[in-house]
Structure formats: C-alpha cells, structure tokens
Amino acid sequence: MAVDVKQGAATDGQRDGSTADQWVFMAEDAPATNRDLLGGKGAGLAAMTQAGLPVPPAFTITTAACNAFQAAGGQFPAGLWDQTLAALKHIEQKSGRVLGDAANPLLVSVRSGARESMPGMMDTVLNLGLNDETVNGLARLTNNERFAWDAYRRFAQMFGRIVLNVEGLDKAFDEAKKSAGVQQDTELNAEQLRGITQQLKRTVEAYTGKPFPTDVKAQLELAIKAVFSSWMGKRAVDYRNQFKIPHDLGTAVNVVTMVFGNMGDDSGTGVAFTRDPSTGAREIYGEFLPNAQGEDVVAGIRTPIKISGMRDLWPTVYHQFEEIAGRLEQTYKDAQDLEFTVERGKLYMLQTRNAKRTGKAAVVIAVQMVAEGLITKDEALRRIQPTHVQQILVPQFDPDSRKRAGAPIGKGLAASPGAAVGKIVFDPDRSATMAAAGEPVILTRKETSPDDFHGMAPAVGILTSRGGSSSHAAVVARQMGKPCIAGAEEIDIDVEGRKLTANGTTLHEGDWISLDGTTGEVFAGRLATSEPDLEQDRELATLLGWADDVHKIDVRANADTPAEATRARMLGATGIGLCRTEHMFREEGRPPFVQEMILNAPGARRGEPDARRAYNAALDKLEEFQLGDFYGILEAMDGLPVIIRLIDPPLHEFLPKHERLLVEVTEMRVRGQSGAELEEKEKLLQAVEALHEQNPMLGMRGCRLGIMFPEIVQMQARAIIGAAVRLKKEGKHPIPEIMVPLVGTRQEMQIEYDTLKQAVDQVFAQSGLEVDYKIGTMIELPRACLVADQLAEKAEFFSFGTNDLTQTTYGYSRDDAEGKFLGHYVEEAILPFNPFETIDPEGVGGLMRIAVERGRAARSDLEVGICGEHGGDPASVAFCNEIGLDYVSCAPGRVPIARLAAGQAAMGFTPSDR
Ligand code: PEP
Ligand code: MG
C-alpha cells in the first residue's frame, strides 16, 4: 500500500515517541477475520477486496475507535482524524477522484457496522461529498444532470435527518413530489430536483440555525461522529438489550467510494441470500431494484423485483454475481447475505455476511453443506442452536398473520413453545366438554392444579396469570407438547365473571385467543398457524442422527401415557425417565376409587369394621386400572427402560377442596338437610381437615406416603410387575424400573425397598415368571445427595428430581417464586439465570456431583439420570454430561433438543459457546 494510514499518528507528535493506535484500516490490508475490530461489514469488505472481488475502494475505522470516542465523551481519539484523511487520500488515488474537487468529485458512503448485525439500528449516510459546486462536477462527469441533483437531494435529506437530527425532511420530500404532481421520485426531472434540494437545505438551515455544511471534510467528520453516536442511540441500545448483545462492542465506520445504482436503466441495487433463508433451498434468493439506491429498497419507496428478474435483464451481470456468491460461500463456508450495486452495467459488491435464517433453513443448510463437502458433521452440529430445533418442532404463527395482529394484549413466561389458537374457557369441565364437541379451547386459569388435568389434556393451549416455568401448568403442558404461557400477570383473569382483561381489552368465554408459547405473547383473536411436518423432516433426522453418533449421555422422556411414550419414541427417546403415576389416578372414572382408598386408609377411619374391606376393594380396583396403564406404556417402549414413579403428591390433592366442601356442608345444614348424603359430605370434610397441612410440599408426600400406607405402593408395584410379566408372556421385552420419590434417609430407602420387593416377589410367585427390574430412588432433597452412599446400598438407580432439589436447596417455592421475585432477581442480575430453568451448577449442581460420587462409590454400576424440567434445557444437559450422568429425561417435545444438546456436549461445547 502506498499510503501509510499511521502517518497521522506520527504527525500527531506523540511526545514519548510511541506510535498511536491504528484506528483506520484500508480494506486491502485490514485483518479480514477480525470482526471484533472491523465489525461484520468492515471484515466482509476487507475479505472481498483481498479476494480480488469487485469492491469499491474503502477503509474502515475500528470499533476500538468508537469505544475511545464514547469514553472521551464524543471526541475523536488522538490520531484518528489524521489517519482518516490519509486513508481518504488513498481511496482518492485508487478511484482517481477527489473529495470536494469541483471538477472531479469523489463521493463516499459512511456506514455503520458492528460485530453483530443490528439491521437498521444504527446510522448510514450516502452520497457524502456533495455541495453546490461538486454537484455540477458530478453532472458533467456523468453527463447526467438529473442523476447529480437526485444524488444531492438524497444527501441533503439523509445528512439533515441523520447527522443534524432535523425532523420532517422525508415528509417535506413527499410533499414536494405531490406538488410536482408525481408519485415516484424517478419521475422528477433535474430542474425539479434542484429546486427540492435547495428547499431541503433551507429547511435544514431554519431548523439548525446554521447553513447546510458545504465543507466536505466537515461533512465527513460529522457523519463519522453521527455513526459512532448512533451506537448509543435508544434504538440500538434497546435492540442489544433484547438480543443480549454486549454494549461495549462498539460499531466500526466504513467509508466506501460511492457507486451508483441510480445512473439509469443499466444500473440498479439489490440484496440477496446465497440460499433461501426460510427454507434453506439452494438457490439465490433476493430482491433487486433497477435505477435505484439501496435506501429505496429499505424505505420501501418502490417495490423491488425478484432477483431472477435481474437474470432476465442482464444475464452476464447475473452470472458474474452468481459466481461471486458461490465463491463467498466457499470462503465463509456458510450461506451469505449480500448487498450489491450495478453501475452502468458493472457489478460492485458492498457487503457479505453470514445470513440470518429460520430454524428450518439452518438445519437444511448445515446438512446440505456437509453433503457438499464444505463443512464437517461436527461443524454442522455446532451451527445448530436449540431454538432452531424448537422452531421446527412446534407450530408457529404465520409471519404475515403475526404482523397483522399488531401488539399482544399481554405477555407472560414462554413456558411451553408453539402457537395455539382457540376459544377461551375458564374451567376445566367446560374445557373438556367443548373439546369433546370438537372446539379448540385454550384453558385459561389464574393457575392450574392437578384437579384441572382433565381440562388441560384436551385443550390446545394453556394460559395462566400466575406461576413460573416449573409451575403445574408449565410442566404438564411441556410434557404434553402443548403451548403454554404461564404467569402472565398483566392479564386479569376473572374466572367467576368468565372474562379476562388485559391492557384495556376484555375477552369473554368463547372468544378467540392466540398464544405464542415460544415468545410468551398473548393475542386477541385468531392468528393463522403453520404446522411442522416432523416425520418428513429428513434433514433434522440426519442432523440428530449425527448428534446420536457422538453422544455420551442418553435421552429419555417424561411420559405418563402410551400416546406420550409413542411420541417420545418417535422423536428419538431411548427410554422413559419418569412416569408420574398420580396423573393416572385422575383419569376419567378413577377419582371415586382414589377417594375411597384415602377415606378408608388405616388411620383415616381406624376402628371401623368395614374400613379395611373398603380400602382393599378400592386398591383392587385401582390395581386393575394401573395394570392396564403400565401395560400400555411398557408395550409402547418395548425393549427400552421405563422408570415408573410411585405416588408422590400429598393425598389431599385427590380430594375436593376444603372451602368447597365447607360451603356445601354448610348449605346442606342451613337447608335442614340430613341423611346419607350429608353424612358422606361431612366424612369427606373431616378427612380433608385431617389431611390438612400448613406446608404440604414438605409434608406427607413422596416416600412418606409409601411408608405410612404400604398397601398403596405395593398395589402399584404389583401392577407394574404384573404388566411386565404379562408382556413377557406375550414375547415382549419390558424393562420396568420402580422409583421411590422424595427419599431422604437410609431407613426410608430400606423400608420402601423391602415393601416393594415383597410385592414383586408375590407377583413372581403367582405368575411363575420373573422379569428383570430395578428399584431406585429420586434424589430431590439435599440430604439425599449427602447420604447418597447410604441410599445406594439399596437403590439400584438414582434420578435427580431437580424441580424439588432446586426448591429445597434454595428454599424457593417452585410454585410461587417465579411470579413473585425470581423475575426481578434475574432482571437485576441478583441471580445470573432462573435456577428452575437451568441447573445452578454451584449449589444444586454441587450437590448433584456429591450424590453421583458417593452413590457410585457405594454401587459402581449405579444408573444415574435426571428427570426434573432441567433435563430438556441445553445448558443443563451439558452440565449433566459433564458430571457423568447416564441420561437426561425431558418432556417428549424436547427430546430432539436434548439429543442435539447431548451431541454438542459430547463434542465439548455448551450453548454459551456460541
Ligand atoms: C422433580 O422434583 O424434579 C420431579 C421430577 O418430580 P415432580 O416434578 O413430579 O415433583
Ligand atoms: Mg419432585
């Protein structure tokens, strides 16, 4: 390079003799791979220039200069301006034109460009270098007066608006067009454009109190400062907050020789992707606007034509473009997003960067590029983010429909992804009835409880105004693969009044509502959705197959029904890590027997002669139901392990609510009613009162139930093993594992083990056939982690219940914390993230490490996994891989995401690496 851009630094006279930082790089010798320093656009310009592609002469002022400018309160750092002038001289030499030369003027664009693309968030100025003299030079040089005045008009308008912050210029131009009687700017002639330009300059002067700057160097300095300042503009700051882009990256400024797409019918400008960014199809996809500058495309002033239109118009230019697009893909080994201009038949490349794309396109492009030999399978896996897979798996709102819907009426936690559209219902019974009649319904509750299950199952989506990501609604919805928004606190749900109100909108039962479980947005009305076609998705299957090839940690699913198990298996689960049996107690026709069992359990009606008989009869009936349940699930997962957890929740959850019973009994008494019906209700009320606990989550639940009522868990164990024996007789290969919840002491494990073993042996003896099985425990209490060696004396497997383990380690209620303070904690960085979503590696994770180590020390072949909600969270999958778990278990819909995360973890990188 002939010009030393550091020359400015030398003349700057650094007294200590050291050279100043290099703030400015020519495109031909900038460090093209250093996107941190040059920003994406600068790095792309440098790479294209250095590859010999047709790029107009350009230089880049670094992001470090921007940071120094911000730190100095809006002053250029020492050496920057002189380096800029030196670089300018260089591009003047290359282009053979001079900035501000009335006879032979150079025009430049001054463009922002940060490391991360922030489309439209920062400023850019085009056609810089025009004034009342150079405009004439430009007219002579191009032999096109109209063009010269159009460029000056654009510059005055853009510089005024962006650099001098003058309002109303775009409107003034629209009005000028109107009074000239034209619709398109292309219809204005040179004389009209001259008049409009002078008018725009006068408006600027009136607004700022100073004449429009005619000194071209002053124009350049002001434009660079404006671009630097736009880094801290509100739009840019909000965008970075939204997409978690650090605020200290700074933007580079690219000064590029102007080439003109508006020089007539042999000129134009366009943007294109090397592959279709929404489907991944291998074809150039983009738009092109003849006789225009880039801003016309962005501003939507004229409607561009498809890029294929350029092929018909100028085949030679198109083929050159196609060839360059291919070369750039080869260079970057990824799909590119390109900007280009054609000036009088000559193609110029102005930008290349990795294209943003949908999840579908990301997977398709990665798989295609492996087939093309461009990237390795590892690299393909590395490029796919969990959100890409998630997008493919769930229905989404059609983008046009989403746009038309406008602002959401409310927002909550994106608890279970996907788009759901249905009619609002406020109670589970009505949900079940309407759904049975074929209506799509959205169950809308303040929060859901296990009692609502029958209304949740048939709903197409679930909305709650309370609760967090491990609330009942969220857990159940994810497991069922239904979209759910939880904790939408700004929505006032009036169940009694059968209406909801949010930000001034009131909707009634039966009104349409649309939920975006991927973003947490709630919309009034009916948005259109598009369905995924998973089984047809060959590329996703291929990619996940590669993840399976390298994985170390297996992926199982949490499933309670044969249908869920079948879906999980189809999605690639290699077992069931958690089947919560209590959900089966709530299925149609069963609650009366569950109630019978509870009301007659020893202790509840101790001393009553018929109680034991009623208790046993209820247990027999439930055993029959459970046998069918377990048969179905073991059959669906034939040949794969199925962990079935014994009853866990406090028993009162299976009985009617205390308040409701009290009201009913009181009303019956007030009415003077007596007899069997009242007696029954009173007995139920007494039982509910007897079961009442101040803190049921820390009370009579989990293994404590099995110890107090061994008959219940024995009934379950007989049903599990009975189903397995039956399947084995039919030639199948059931692999049942019986899991005890909430164990905290050696004695608890010992008692439960003996109780269960007795029931299992009874089935074996009766059937004359044995099956392989295991008895193990959930690890969901800190004490269980610390005495894991003692538990492993009996337990043949551990499964971390990280929902409860997080609750009991932090002492945060899993039902309430997210709605009350956790959101604030995360927003204010009191916690780095929500520990109910991602495992806290220090506290909860520290306990898990201890449990794995101590458990395996006592039993070397101990099988260890996780079945809390964290099992479907990629960062948590990476953690579980790191501490050597055998599997993660998650909701069926998250199985593909967990498979990807397991493959990525085995390759040694976590989601935060990307
Ligand atoms: C857990 O606590 O993590 C768990 C899986 O059990 P549940 O959510 O049913 O309490
Ligand atoms: Mg639990």
Side-chain angles (χ1 to χ4, degrees):
M1 182 183 74
V3 172
D4 178 7
V5 291
K6 284 193 183 169
Q7 158 196 329
T11 56
D12 208 36
Q14 299 264 312
R15 280 190 207 105
D16 60 3
S18 66
T19 44
D21 292 313
Q22 182 167 357
W23 305 115
V24 181
F25 287 90
M26 301 309 306
E28 47 268 54
D29 51 16
T33 52
N34 193 344
R35 291 176 60 226
D36 286 350
L37 189 67
L38 300 177
K41 188 169 278 159
L45 283 170
M48 291 194 294
T49 305
Q50 292 164 25
L53 300 185
V55 178
F59 64 86
T60 299
I61 306 174
T62 65
T63 55
C66 175
N67 287 337
F69 171 85
Q70 308 287 359
Q75 298 296 318
F76 282 161
L80 169 57
W81 183 239
D82 288 331
Q83 290 178 31
T84 303
L85 293 179
L88 177 64
K89 194 149 266 148
H90 184 62
I91 63 172
E92 286 174 341
Q93 280 168 1
K94 278 191 88 174
S95 64
R97 295 181 190 168
V98 174
L99 193 74
D101 183 334
N104 186 23
L106 169 76
L107 303 194
V108 293
S109 63
V110 179
R111 297 164 180 262
S112 55
R115 188 187 77 185
E116 310 294 332
S117 140
M118 296 167 50
M121 296 300 130
M122 288 179 299
D123 291 341
T124 280
V125 179
L126 304 179
N127 304 310
L128 188 139
L130 282 167
N131 57 28
D132 289 348
E133 281 153 23
T134 54
V135 69
N136 294 323
L138 185 66
R140 273 194 302 277
L141 209 62
T142 56
N143 200 17
N144 188 338
E145 200 178 356
R146 187 203 170 276
F147 159 74
W149 279 102
D150 185 41
Y152 196 12
R153 185 276 301 173
R154 288 166 186 270
F155 174 61
Q157 195 174 331
M158 209 174 202
F159 192 88
R161 171 164 53 82
I162 286 171
V163 180
L164 305 173
N165 298 316
V166 179
E167 288 170 13
L169 292 171
D170 293 345
K171 199 156 156 247
F173 177 55
D174 285 343
E175 273 159 16
K177 268 195 296 189
K178 213 179 281 169
S179 56
V182 304
Q183 298 212 323
Q184 306 277 8
D185 54 330
T186 43
E187 298 167 53
L188 293 165
N189 63 30
E191 207 39 52
Q192 287 166 318
L193 285 163
R194 183 202 306 267
I196 293 171
T197 308
Q198 300 305 356
Q199 177 57 43
L200 289 169
K201 283 168 58 202
R202 281 195 296 276
T203 309
V204 169
E205 182 166 352
Y207 194 94
T208 61
K210 286 188 218 151
F212 189 90
T214 49
D215 175 346
V216 290
K217 300 245 168 75
Q219 289 175 357
L220 181 62
E221 183 183 342
L222 286 170
I224 295 169
K225 286 184 171 166
V227 174
F228 276 163
S229 302
S230 68
W231 174 255
M232 291 312 288
K234 184 173 170 352
R235 255 182 319 161
V237 171
D238 289 350
Y239 184 89
R240 291 197 295 272
N241 285 339
Q242 167 90 19
F243 292 96
K244 301 198 168 53
I245 299 172
H247 292 295
D248 59 0
L249 297 179
T251 180
V253 177
N254 301 288
V255 178
V256 186
T257 306
M258 280 298 297
V259 284
F260 298 97
N262 55 336
M263 276 194 140
D265 290 339
D266 55 355
S267 304
T269 189
V271 289
F273 297 88
T274 54
R275 308 201 183 202
D276 185 325
S278 62
T279 64
R282 200 181 170 195
E283 62 197 11
I284 292 183
Y285 175 98
E287 293 176 330
F288 172 73
L289 198 49
N291 197 11
Q293 285 198 339
E295 54 172 326
D296 301 332
V297 182
V298 179
I301 291 176
R302 274 186 278 148
T303 310
I305 58 174
K306 279 199 178 145
I307 196 90
S308 49
M310 185 169 111
R311 184 175 45 206
D312 303 338
L313 218 51
W314 307 321
T316 319
V317 174
Y318 183 82
H319 286 123
Q320 188 195 358
F321 177 70
E322 205 172 34
E323 193 259 330
I324 288 175
R327 273 176 68 187
L328 287 169
E329 273 205 347
Q330 294 286 330
T331 305
Y332 287 100
K333 301 191 185 316
D334 202 355
Q336 298 296 294
D337 168 356
L338 307 171
E339 276 180 24
F340 64 95
T341 283
V342 177
E343 181 185 286
R344 289 185 172 159
K346 180 166 168 29
L347 173 68
Y348 289 96
M349 299 304 298
L350 299 178
Q351 175 169 297
T352 184
R353 61 180 173 202
N354 289 347
K356 287 202 189 307
R357 63 203 77 179
T358 62
K360 173 75 191 158
V363 171
V364 170
I365 291 170
V367 171
Q368 275 173 359
M369 286 193 164
V370 172
E372 291 161 24
L374 262 186
I375 58 171
T376 60
K377 290 176 186 173
D378 273 18
E379 179 55 27
L381 279 173
R382 203 176 273 272
R383 283 190 186 169
I384 304 304
Q385 293 170 22
T387 47
H388 288 142
V389 177
Q390 186 169 313
Q391 269 182 31
I392 299 177
L393 292 172
V394 292
Q396 302 288 339
F397 285 127
D398 172 75
D400 289 341
S401 181
R402 161 72 190 80
K403 211 180 277 172
R404 278 197 303 274
I409 57 165
K411 201 158 187 269
L413 276 166
S416 179
V421 180
K423 292 183 172 175
I424 302 172
V425 281
F426 292 100
D427 79 70
D429 294 338
R430 202 164 294 186
S431 167
T433 336
M434 279 174 66
E439 302 263 31
V441 294
I442 305 269
L443 182 62
T444 306
R445 306 281 281 162
K446 281 196 162 63
E447 58 198 330
T448 63
S449 77
D451 284 340
D452 298 343
F453 186 73
H454 63 292
M456 297 170 79
V460 295
I462 293 155
L463 169 64
T464 69
S465 57
R466 291 202 202 125
S469 57
S470 65
S471 64
H472 179 263
V475 172
V476 172
R478 271 199 292 275
Q479 182 160 324
M480 293 189 296
K482 277 184 208 307
C484 170
I485 295 174
E489 300 210 349
E490 54 195 349
I491 301 185
D492 181 27
I493 295 179
D494 176 3
V495 173
E496 303 297 310
R498 303 212 167 268
K499 61 180 192 292
L500 65 80
T501 313
N503 294 318
T505 304
T506 299
L507 298 174
H508 296 91
E509 193 154 72
D511 286 348
W512 287 93
I513 194 167
S514 300
L515 309 184
D516 190 336
T518 314
T519 62
E521 292 168 317
V522 182
F523 298 91
R526 254 177 123 167
L527 271 64
T529 58
S530 46
E531 280 291 327
D533 192 356
L534 234 206
E535 293 194 50
Q536 298 298 316
D537 205 318
R538 277 180 297 116
E539 287 87 2
L540 182 60
T542 305
L543 187 100
L544 294 178
W546 296 338
D548 295 345
D549 289 344
V550 295
H551 86 290
K552 289 200 271 232
I553 190 163
D554 286 340
V555 177
R556 298 190 188 175
N558 294 356
D560 301 342
T561 62
E564 285 176 11
T566 305
R567 178 157 167 262
R569 193 170 190 160
M570 192 265 288
L571 293 173
T574 53
I576 298 295
L578 173 64
C579 167
R580 292 177 167 101
T581 53
E582 58 268 14
H583 289 168
M584 299 165 176
F585 287 180
R586 297 197 175 94
E587 273 172 30
E588 180 118 32
R590 303 182 184 187
F593 298 101
V594 179
Q595 255 180 44
E596 271 293 288
M597 175 183 81
I598 296 171
L599 292 178
N600 294 293
R605 290 174 60 195
R606 194 170 295 154
E608 290 188 31
D610 56 345
R612 174 58 69 172
R613 222 175 315 116
Y615 182 52
N616 288 339
L619 285 172
D620 286 349
K621 194 71 200 163
L622 289 171
E623 185 172 336
E624 206 180 297
F625 286 132
Q626 293 253 274
L627 195 108
D629 296 332
F630 300 142
Y631 179 91
I633 217 158
L634 286 165
E635 186 187 36
M637 296 307 278
D638 191 39
L640 297 174
V642 176
I643 297 186
I644 297 169
R645 184 180 71 186
L646 303 171
I647 186 167
D648 183 21
L651 291 182
H652 76 83
E653 284 193 10
F654 299 100
L655 298 179
K657 291 240 165 350
H658 180 253
E659 297 77 22
R660 203 171 88 204
L661 278 174
L662 195 62
V663 169
E664 282 174 10
V665 167
T666 311
E667 279 175 359
M668 284 166 106
R669 284 186 188 140
V670 168
R671 283 201 302 270
Q673 205 169 327
S674 60
E677 200 191 338
L678 177 62
E679 260 173 48
E680 234 358 84
K681 274 264 146 62
E682 283 174 337
K683 254 190 237 160
L684 204 52
L685 181 61
Q686 273 167 20
V688 170
E689 280 168 353
L691 288 172
H692 174 76
E693 291 174 291
Q694 290 297 348
N695 208 340
M697 284 305 270
L698 298 179
M700 181 73 160
R701 59 170 286 220
C703 67
R704 301 153 205 171
L705 284 173
I707 289 171
M708 300 303 285
F709 307 108
E711 304 82 358
I712 299 181
V713 291
Q714 285 192 321
M715 172 277 284
Q716 291 196 293
R718 278 198 306 275
I720 294 167
I721 299 299
V725 163
R726 191 183 289 180
L727 281 161
K728 190 168 175 185
K729 278 189 186 149
E730 293 166 8
K732 303 267 173 46
H733 298 93
I735 310 179
E737 303 188 10
I738 305 172
M739 180 155 73
V740 186
L742 221 73
V743 170
T745 74
R746 170 194 263 146
Q747 292 79 357
E748 282 175 336
M749 189 66 229
Q750 171 83 54
I751 295 169
E752 285 283 76
Y753 182 87
D754 292 344
T755 305
L756 297 169
K757 182 93 183 24
Q758 198 185 26
V760 172
D761 287 344
Q762 190 188 350
V763 178
F764 287 165
Q766 278 167 1
S767 64
L769 196 67
E770 296 199 359
V771 292
D772 288 335
Y773 74 100
K774 284 189 177 131
I775 293 177
T777 179
M778 294 202 64
I779 301 288
E780 42 191 349
L781 297 172
R783 191 178 199 285
C785 297
L786 299 172
V787 301
D789 48 344
Q790 298 176 21
L791 303 185
E793 287 166 11
K794 286 289 165 197
E796 293 162 292
F797 66 89
F798 283 177
S799 177
F800 288 105
T802 41
N803 303 332
D804 274 314
L805 188 58
T806 302
Q807 168 166 263
T808 50
T809 301
Y810 275 95
Y812 295 166
S813 160
R814 60 189 269 191
D815 300 308
D816 299 320
E818 283 160 299
K820 298 292 180 213
F821 61 87
L822 258 188
H824 176 79
Y825 268 34
V826 173
E827 252 164 47
E828 298 296 317
I830 298 168
L831 282 178
F833 50 79
N834 177 348
F836 286 107
E837 285 174 0
T838 298
I839 289 174
D840 147 45
E842 294 169 348
V844 176
L847 286 165
M848 290 169 73
R849 277 183 206 275
I850 292 174
V852 173
E853 198 182 291
R854 297 190 183 167
R856 290 214 174 117
R859 184 187 288 270
S860 60
D861 64 346
L862 185 76
E863 173 190 276
V864 190
I866 173 179
C867 64
E869 289 306 296
H870 304 84
D873 166 63
S876 307
V877 174
F879 178 78
C880 294
N881 179 76
E882 183 196 321
I883 65 168
L885 299 200
D886 297 303
Y887 68 86
V888 294
S889 186
C890 57
R894 290 198 74 83
V895 165
I897 293 168
R899 284 168 66 197
L900 173 74
Q904 292 181 332
M907 286 163 37
F909 70 99
T910 59
S912 57
D913 288 345
R914 270 166 283 135

